[in-house]
């Protein structure tokens, strides 16, 4: 394996959760702290394949097939070992570089977009702690969003339109790639930044790649929408995304539950109460792709939508879809007519729990 560095393989294996990878191929059933499934490598009728979450290995106690995440992908895809390593790297978004005469992994075509997004996230984080971001930082503190949550969620501040655009151009990014990532838009007077004077919350895909933003207004401006979200781009497709999925999935498996709320600020409200297994579908409508992502967690879903009429309607619609797809769930009976963030602000951690 001289063409794949040992440190790369070690890093990929550490970052790739075998349960997450195998759930792309098999329906897993939780058994204690481990999982089991119908073995795909022999004519199995009862679940005989066991997956250890601690050891990150699998083993069939009938046919004897076993190994780690790489050997599973190699066997299920019927590909070579280096191809399996590259496949796992691609699934988790690991930037694997391979040099060999006979084998090369496909480069991630979206990596240039991720690079732009990461640069802009770092810039908004810097601006949050600059003089121009003081009002936004004070807003975070008023909302009890502490420094730990700010860092964990990479929360930032988008300054004036021209300032953001000038920064991105100074980084030598073309207008084309900035349009493709939704960071700028074209108007009558040329290009301007999509986001300005807003609290910025990055949105990631299930592998942790940055793909978009939800941006909240921090001052009352007549006619201005409370939130602006990234529109559909080459890497952002709202119907395929579950906010905070990449951070929450390990906590969900440890807690044996995943809490589904409506928006990013509701997820952050759960974080304020030290509840780390919260996710959101970035709106009340839930799609089949999002349901499938939730199913991959192999835990029960706790639906905690807002207590108003719209939240109740959304809960009913989600419930119908979840039943159709065999997703196990329970519903929080929220009689407050408030969202989780409002409940935390009024009643604190105990009230939200």
């Amino acid at each position: 394996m001289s063409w794949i560095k040992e440190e790369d393989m070690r890093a990929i294996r550490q970052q790739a959760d075998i349960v997450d990878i195998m759930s792309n191929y098999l329906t897993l059933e939780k058994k204690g702290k481990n999982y089991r499934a119908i073995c795909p490598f022999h004519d199995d009728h009862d679940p005989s394949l066991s997956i250890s979450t601690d050891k990150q290995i699998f083993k069939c106690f009938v046919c004897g097939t076993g190994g780690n995440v790489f050997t599973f992908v190699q066997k299920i895809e019927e590909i070579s070992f280096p191809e399996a390593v590259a496949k796992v790297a691609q699934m988790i978004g690991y930037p694997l570089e391979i040099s060999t005469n006979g084998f090369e992994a496909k480069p991630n075509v979206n990596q240039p977009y991720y690079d732009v997004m990461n640069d802009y996230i770092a810039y908004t984080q810097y601006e949050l702690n600059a003089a121009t971001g003081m009002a936004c930082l004070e807003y975070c503190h008023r909302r009890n969003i502490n420094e730990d949550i700010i860092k964990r969620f990479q929360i930032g501040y988008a300054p004036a339109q021209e300032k953001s655009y000038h920064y991105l151009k100074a980084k030598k990014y073309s207008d084309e790639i900035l349009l493709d990532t939704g960071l700028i838009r074209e108007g009558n007077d040329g290009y301007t930044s999509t986001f300005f004077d807003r609290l910025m919350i990055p949105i990631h895909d299930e592998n942790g790649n940055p793909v978009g933003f939800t941006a909240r207004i921090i001052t009352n401006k007549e006619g201005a929408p409370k939130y602006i979200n990234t529109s559909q781009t080459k890497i952002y497709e709202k119907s395929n995304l579950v906010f905070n999925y990449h951070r929450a999935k390990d906590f969900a498996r440890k807690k044996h539950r995943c809490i589904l709320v409506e928006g990013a600020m509701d997820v952050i409200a759960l974080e304020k109460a030290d509840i780390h297994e919260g996710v959101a579908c970035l709106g009340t409508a839930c799609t089949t792709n999002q349901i499938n992502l939730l199913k991959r967690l192999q835990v029960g879903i706790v639906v905690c939508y807002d207590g108003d009429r719209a939240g109740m309607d959304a809960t009913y619609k989600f419930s119908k879809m979840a039943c159709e797809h065999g997703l196990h769930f329970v519903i929080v009976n929220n009689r407050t007519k408030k969202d989780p963030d409002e409940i935390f602000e009024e009643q604190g951690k105990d009230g939200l729990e």
Side-chain angles (χ1 to χ4, degrees):
M1 299 303 299
S2 59
W3 55 86
I4 299 181
K5 295 179 182 179
E6 184 67 32
E7 55 264 36
D8 276 332
M9 285 196 290
R10 187 162 51 247
I12 295 166
R13 190 177 172 192
Q14 287 174 347
Q15 294 178 33
D17 182 358
I18 193 168
V19 171
D20 202 32
I21 298 299
M22 290 181 66
S23 64
N24 285 283
Y25 301 92
L26 306 174
T27 298
L28 307 184
E29 177 187 349
K30 192 164 182 60
K31 190 73 172 177
K33 66 178 181 178
N34 297 320
Y35 291 81
R36 65 181 184 181
I38 298 291
C39 180
F41 305 115
H42 76 280
D43 186 18
D44 193 15
H45 299 285
D46 295 314
S48 58
L49 186 140
S50 177
I51 303 103
S52 169
T53 56
D54 289 339
K55 297 179 180 179
Q56 290 288 296
I57 59 173
F58 74 97
K59 174 75 173 180
C60 177
F61 294 102
V62 174
C63 70
T65 304
N68 60 26
V69 66
F70 297 142
T71 48
F72 174 79
V73 172
Q74 179 186 7
K75 291 178 182 295
I76 197 78
E77 294 269 7
E78 297 183 345
I79 55 180
S80 68
F81 185 81
E83 286 176 308
V85 175
K87 176 79 173 178
V88 174
Q90 184 180 39
M91 292 171 79
I92 66 171
Y94 184 90
L96 178 64
E97 294 183 6
I98 300 176
S99 176
T100 175
N101 293 328
F103 172 76
E104 288 188 13
K106 279 186 177 181
N108 191 329
V109 295
N110 290 326
Q111 192 59 50
Y113 303 125
Y114 301 149
D115 292 341
V116 177
M117 298 296 288
N118 276 319
D119 268 348
Y120 191 59
I121 288 170
Y123 174 66
T124 62
Q125 289 179 294
Y126 169 82
E127 286 291 332
L128 180 64
N129 292 286
T132 51
M134 186 177 298
C136 188
L137 187 60
E138 289 175 352
Y139 171 85
C140 289
H141 292 160
R142 287 198 307 272
R143 298 292 297 269
N144 294 307
I145 301 173
N146 61 32
E147 294 300 322
D148 179 54
I149 293 175
I150 289 173
K151 289 179 181 178
R152 200 177 327 139
F153 282 79
Q154 299 177 288
I155 293 171
Y157 171 69
Q161 279 184 322
E162 65 277 4
K163 192 172 182 181
S164 289
Y165 183 51
H166 290 163
Y167 167 80
L168 292 166
K169 293 303 290 182
K171 294 289 288 185
K172 307 300 183 185
Y173 290 120
S174 67
D175 289 333
E176 181 182 9
I177 197 169
L178 296 178
L179 284 168
D180 285 345
T181 51
L183 292 179
I184 66 171
R185 56 190 174 190
E186 188 173 6
N188 295 330
D189 298 324
Y191 297 112
T192 58
S193 300
T194 302
F195 306 103
F196 59 95
D197 194 23
R198 284 178 178 268
L199 175 77
M200 300 290 286
I201 305 175
I203 300 169
H204 300 76
D205 64 18
E206 69 267 27
N207 297 315
N209 298 307
V211 294
F213 291 94
T214 181
R216 194 191 194 285
I217 199 168
I218 57 172
T219 56
N220 293 323
K221 294 181 180 178
E222 188 175 350
K226 183 185 288 188
Y227 288 96
I228 294 177
N229 295 325
T230 297
S231 300
Q232 183 171 329
T233 68
K234 291 181 180 293
I235 56 173
Y236 183 90
E237 174 60 63
K238 178 180 173 181
S239 63
N240 295 335
L241 298 167
V242 174
F243 177 75
N244 199 43
Y245 186 91
H246 68 296
R247 282 182 291 253
K249 58 187 178 183
D250 290 337
F251 290 104
R253 288 176 180 135
K254 289 175 183 176
K255 291 283 190 178
H256 313 301
R257 70 175 187 182
C258 179
I259 303 175
L260 178 65
V261 292
E262 287 187 22
M265 290 300 287
D266 296 321
V267 170
I268 291 173
L270 297 177
E271 289 286 331
K272 297 177 196 176
D274 294 325
I275 300 170
H276 308 297
E277 62 273 19
V279 298
C281 288
L282 299 169
T284 55
C286 198
T287 67
T288 299
N289 289 338
Q290 291 167 328
I291 289 283
N292 287 335
L293 273 177
L294 295 175
K295 283 187 71 174
R296 279 168 52 182
L297 295 173
Q298 297 291 316
V299 299
I301 305 300
V302 179
V303 185
C304 187
Y305 282 170
D306 297 1
D308 57 14
R309 171 55 61 181
M312 293 169 66
D313 290 343
T315 300
Y316 176 69
K317 291 176 182 177
F318 171 85
S319 302
K320 287 185 67 177
M321 182 172 286
C323 287
E324 290 169 0
H325 289 82
L327 179 64
H328 298 287
F329 66 95
V330 296
I331 299 168
V332 174
N333 187 8
N334 183 359
R335 297 180 179 179
T336 66
K337 296 186 178 180
K338 301 181 185 298
D339 62 38
D341 193 44
E342 290 169 329
I343 294 170
F344 180 86
E345 291 300 317
E346 292 182 5
Q347 303 179 37
K349 178 179 177 179
D350 292 341
L352 186 56
E353 287 181 342

